Structure formats: structure tokens, C-alpha cells
Amino acid sequence: MLPLITLEEHYVSSKLREVESVDHYAGFPQHIVTKLQSLDEERLQDMNNGNVSLQVISHGPGDRPPHLCVLANDELAQAVSKHRPRLAGFAMLPMNEPAAAAKELERCVLGHGFVGALVDNTTADGATYDDERFWPVFAKAQELDVPIYIHPTFATDNAMDHYRGNYDESIALALSAYGWGWHSETALHILKLYASGLFDRFPKLKIVIGHMGEMLPFQIERVIAVAARWGRERGLREVWRENIWITTSGMFALPPLACLLQTTSIDHILYSVDYPFSMNEKGLQFFEEIKKSGLIKGEGLEKFAYRNAEDLLRTKAVI
């Protein structure tokens, strides 16, 4: 059986929960919170149950100030050091303070050996990173040659009206998040980054997105044609092929995978689970379904399972 590397896998800092005045996870099911906080045996056993060789861990959503990001990153670094080579880390960054975020990225990569960073799709006030004030973070990522994973986050209060309608508020919340908005908003953010010229300024930048490409593969040919009129030095097709990596996190269906494979190089597609919101056993079951379908096979299956992640993150699966 091939080893598996997963990249969109989460934890919650117990130290952060102790010092924050608001418990962001009070409404989560207790068994999920327990798994989020576990950085030891329970997590490793769950990895074994899904044949996960190496899990790259990142903190759950939240726009925190620099000192709290340092606290969370140091806690994760201790766990990674204890369980290397089974665990690796993506840094949590204070994106509302870009200079501090760039500094923290450098500290985590050079000091802790982290393999990149995972950031929320927007800041707490809804800002996206096409604004050049955020670009020192991307400059530092290119300099360090590590990826930035852009992860969906919850809609701001102002944005929630866009999802409300003649139905219960719980439905609006679902539509704003895992039911639609997480994915469409992240897709839009990638297009805004392209339109802003970010990839002209930083041509070697590595961006990762999850969930089979956040709807973009289905629309990519249409958007490429439209984007040709936007006046960028590099075409969107070139950026899609060279600067964007995509994981399958949280998506366990063959049709979107088939679309992804038809629009994206296999070298830029990576297996992931979205643990513990999805379980590793479910991911493994889907991986076996992919093998049986023949959608990915041979060397391509090895790239998808672990080799692409090894190349992107400069790490190694435990075989």
C-alpha cells in the first residue's frame, strides 16, 4: 500500500484556548475538539487507521495577533519535534499585520522547520490579499521557497446578508460556509490575486488550495479566456499550471476529481483528508475507490499519494 501525505489537517492550540477570552470551539462536538487538541497518541492512531504516513498540521480558522500566533506555533513545533517524521507544520500567521506575519513565517520555517503556512481566506474584517499591503508575506514565502495554503474561513457579519433568504438562519450559515461560500469565496480570492498582478511580482510563488480546487477547475477555461483581457504579464493558464497546487481535502467523489484531472497537471494534485472534520478512514476508502476507477494509476498514483507533496514541501513520507 502506498504511503499517504496529507496537507489540510487541523489542530487547535490548547494554550490558545486557555488565554483567549472567547472560546471559538465551544459549539463544536466534544469528540472533534478532543481530536483537534490531540497532538499525540490519538492523532497518530487515527493516522495509522487511514494509512497516513505524514500529516502536515495547521491551526483552525481565526485571525489572531502576533503573540498568539507565536504561542500556537511554538506548541505545534514541540509536537512536530516529538513525532518527526510523522508530523510537519504549517505556520499560523497574523495576516492583519503583514510585516509581523512575514517575520513569523521566517521564524517558523528557519527556526522550527515548518514547511510553509496556512492562512485564512480573509482577515477578520473581510480583507483579501490582493491589497499590496499583504504582499510582504508572499515575498517572504517566495524567498524561503515555501507554499502558502489559502484556506476557507467564515463569512464576516457584513457578508452574511448575501447568504440569507426565506429560510432558517442555520441554512444561511451552511450556505456561507461548507455548503457553498467557503469554496466560491476562496476561488474568487485566487482570481483576485491573479488580477492584482501578484503572480507577475512573485513568479515563483507557490499557492495551495483545497477541496478539489474550490470550484475553479469547472470554470477555469472560461475564466482563462476572460482573464486574457486583464493586462497581466503572465497568462492565467501559466499561473494555474506553475503556481497553484490543489489538494482533494474534504471531497470524496470521483466526478470533481475527473474534472480536476482534465484541467490540472497531475504534478500539482495532492491527496488530503481535512482531519478531523473528515476522518482518515474515509480518505483511505476514497483513495481505494480512485485506484479501482483507474482515474489515476501507475506513477501518477504515487505522485498523488505522496511524491508531489514530497517535492512541494521538501519532506519525505515514511515508507
Side-chain angles (χ1 to χ4, degrees):
M1 187 176 291
L2 293 174
L4 300 171
I5 295 178
T6 57
L7 286 81
E8 192 182 313
E9 324 304 319
H10 306 292
Y11 86 107
V12 166
S13 167
S14 57
K15 294 181 179 179
L16 218 58
R17 292 188 78 200
E18 290 173 0
V19 302
E20 288 190 301
S21 58
V22 176
D23 187 353
H24 299 278
Y25 301 91
F28 281 57
Q30 185 55 49
H31 74 282
I32 293 293
V33 176
T34 299
K35 289 184 181 298
L36 281 167
Q37 291 193 154
S38 172
L39 291 170
D40 287 300
E41 294 309 316
E42 182 174 2
R43 182 175 294 265
L44 293 173
Q45 184 57 58
D46 285 348
M47 289 169 59
N48 293 339
N49 293 342
N51 197 47
V52 176
S53 167
L54 170 64
Q55 187 182 78
V56 184
I57 307 176
S58 52
H59 201 279
D63 188 2
R64 269 84 172 191
H67 72 284
L68 293 185
C69 290
V70 168
L71 186 69
N73 289 331
D74 286 351
E75 182 179 353
L76 178 57
Q78 289 179 356
V80 169
S81 178
K82 180 179 178 181
H83 296 296
R84 201 181 305 274
R86 299 298 306 279
L87 303 181
F90 277 143
M92 183 185 191
L93 303 180
M95 290 299 289
N96 236 335
E97 301 183 42
K103 182 178 179 181
E104 180 63 5
L105 176 61
E106 182 173 60
R107 186 185 78 93
C108 287
V109 171
L110 299 183
H112 288 324
F114 281 14
V115 294
L118 182 143
V119 301
D120 288 354
N121 187 49
T122 68
T123 62
D125 58 0
T128 52
Y129 310 136
D130 52 296
D131 188 326
E132 291 195 21
R133 77 180 182 91
F134 295 106
W135 290 13
V137 180
F138 299 110
K140 182 59 66 174
Q142 178 173 272
E143 176 189 327
L144 295 169
D145 192 25
V146 295
I148 300 290
Y149 200 127
I150 298 181
H151 186 275
T153 194
F154 295 99
T156 63
D157 290 342
N158 291 337
M160 276 304 302
D161 283 344
H162 181 61
Y163 296 99
R164 292 188 174 104
N166 190 32
Y167 38 76
D168 189 82
E169 182 71 6
S170 64
I171 297 175
L173 288 171
L175 287 173
S176 74
Y178 45 82
W180 187 263
W182 276 354
H183 314 295
S184 62
E185 294 296 335
T186 304
L188 177 61
H189 195 170
I190 294 299
L191 296 179
K192 291 178 73 172
L193 293 178
Y194 172 75
S196 71
L198 178 75
F199 298 101
D200 292 341
R201 180 84 62 85
F202 307 111
K204 300 298 183 182
L205 180 63
K206 298 175 179 179
I207 297 292
V208 185
I209 54 176
H211 310 106
M212 297 280 191
E214 310 289 17
M215 303 183 179
L216 281 168
F218 186 83
Q219 289 289 118
I220 196 66
E221 289 299 326
R222 182 179 180 89
V223 180
I224 284 171
V226 173
R229 302 193 292 268
W230 294 353
R232 298 299 97 201
E233 295 174 18
R234 302 175 66 218
L236 180 57
R237 189 183 304 280
E238 177 186 352
V239 168
W240 182 255
R241 288 175 173 172
E242 296 181 5
N243 299 91
I244 308 295
W245 279 255
I246 296 170
T247 78
T248 59
S249 60
M251 303 282 282
F252 306 103
L254 293 177
L257 178 61
C259 180
L260 175 60
L261 289 164
Q262 290 176 349
T263 57
T264 309
S265 167
I266 187 60
D267 293 334
H268 280 224
I269 302 174
L270 310 100
Y271 174 78
S272 287
V273 173
D274 204 2
Y275 174 91
F277 306 109
S278 299
M279 293 305 293
N280 295 322
E281 294 92 334
K282 185 174 183 179
L284 181 59
Q285 181 181 1
F286 181 55
F287 186 81
E288 294 300 322
E289 186 179 356
I290 293 169
K291 287 171 60 178
K292 185 177 179 180
S293 74
L295 274 176
I296 311 177
K297 52 190 174 182
E299 183 183 9
L301 198 64
E302 292 183 3
K303 290 181 176 182
F304 171 63
Y306 69 98
R307 283 173 50 189
N308 289 341
E310 288 182 332
D311 291 343
L312 176 64
L313 307 174
R314 298 193 301 278
T315 188
K316 295 293 291 185
V318 180
I319 299 178

